[in-house]
Amino acid sequence: MTTLPPLLGHPVRRPTPDDHLPVLAVLDRWWGGLGGEEGSRQRALLLPKLMFQHFSSSSFLVTADERIVAFLIGFLSPSRPAESYIHFVGVDPAERGKGLGAALYERFFAYSRENGRSVVRAITSPVNKDSHAFHTRMGFVTEPGPKEFEGLPVQPDYDGPGLDRLSFRKDL
Ligand SMILES: CC(C)(COP(=O)(O)OP(=O)(O)OC[C@H]1O[C@@H](n2cnc3c(N)ncnc32)[C@H](O)[C@@H]1OP(=O)(O)O)[C@@H](O)C(=O)NCCC(=O)NCCS
């Protein structure tokens, strides 16, 4: 198992396929049931086991007493050599507001820079106001879009029919 320098005193390691089901098990609670049953289904589908098999070396998992308290699934874009991508991030509600999410992002930014990346991208659902606030605080710009949702620029049908998204970009 690859251990990494701690974050805010918490052990950090690379996720493994054994972490797949434990991470799925916390999603609904950590996301507060956002989007109801459909939101729950979509979140689970966004984290298939392959993320824990093939994206492990660019992802991070934070624990406390062996319990998962935060994770970031990201990767260096294989097709866009200047870019990296944060696919999914979550922090246990009990551990929020202490800088853990920011520290995870900074760790991924450093990893991206070390690997020659100058742009980080991420997307989120327009209803996820917390995610928008967090990404804005972390220096991401919400890219212009042809549609608006509650004042935010939206990419309509970005992930398929009816699956609108906010698109974030940060220049490192
Ligand atoms: C978004 C999330 C990862 C933030 O984690 P966190 O550990 O609480 O974030 P931090 O404590 O590191 O906060 C970093 C900065 O973002 C700000 N921030 C974080 N969440 C915020 C929110 N909901 N509203 C406004 N600002 C917020 C903090 O105030 C802080 O800014 P500061 O340095 O000026 O104080 C966490 O709330 C979470 O897991 N949410 C549910 C999952 C989710 O939506 N993930 C993102 C989409 S995939």
Side-chain angles (χ1 to χ4, degrees):
M1 191 176 293
T2 317
T3 50
L4 302 164
L7 277 181
L8 308 181
H10 291 295
V12 181
R13 60 178 172 81
R14 298 296 184 198
T16 73
D18 286 345
D19 296 310
H20 179 225
L21 292 182
V23 167
L24 285 188
V26 301
L27 293 187
D28 279 342
R29 186 170 61 81
W30 287 18
W31 264 254
L34 187 70
E37 261 181 44
E38 182 53 24
S40 172
R41 201 179 69 85
Q42 281 184 33
R43 274 188 295 279
L45 289 174
L46 281 170
L47 280 182
K49 193 188 284 287
L50 71 88
M51 293 291 166
F52 296 78
Q53 294 165 326
H54 299 284
F55 296 82
S56 177
S57 61
S58 52
S59 299
F60 303 93
L61 193 137
V62 184
T63 61
D65 301 327
E66 311 284 314
R67 193 171 51 88
I68 299 168
V69 293
F71 64 87
L72 183 156
I73 306 289
F75 55 89
L76 304 171
S77 172
S79 311
R80 299 182 181 183
E83 298 189 11
S84 62
Y85 189 88
I86 296 177
H87 176 65
F88 224 81
V89 63
V91 173
D92 187 325
E95 301 294 335
R96 286 187 195 160
K98 300 176 183 175
L100 201 47
L104 262 177
Y105 265 49
E106 292 297 345
R107 180 66 64 85
F108 187 79
F109 296 161
Y111 166 78
S112 299
R113 281 190 200 97
E114 283 159 16
N115 285 278
R117 309 296 159 132
S118 53
V119 174
V120 186
R121 288 185 178 279
I123 59 165
T124 203
S125 161
V127 297
N128 194 339
K129 297 290 171 200
D130 289 349
S131 175
H132 177 261
F134 173 70
H135 281 91
T136 302
R137 181 65 191 84
M138 293 310 301
F140 285 82
V141 170
T142 307
E143 296 190 295
K147 198 174 154 185
E148 266 198 12
F149 177 77
E150 297 184 359
L152 299 176
V154 165
Q155 316 296 324
D157 301 328
Y158 183 93
D159 263 341
L163 300 176
D164 297 356
R165 297 290 180 257
L166 305 180
S167 173
F168 301 126
R169 173 196 172 114
K170 179 184 167 80
D171 292 325
L172 292 175

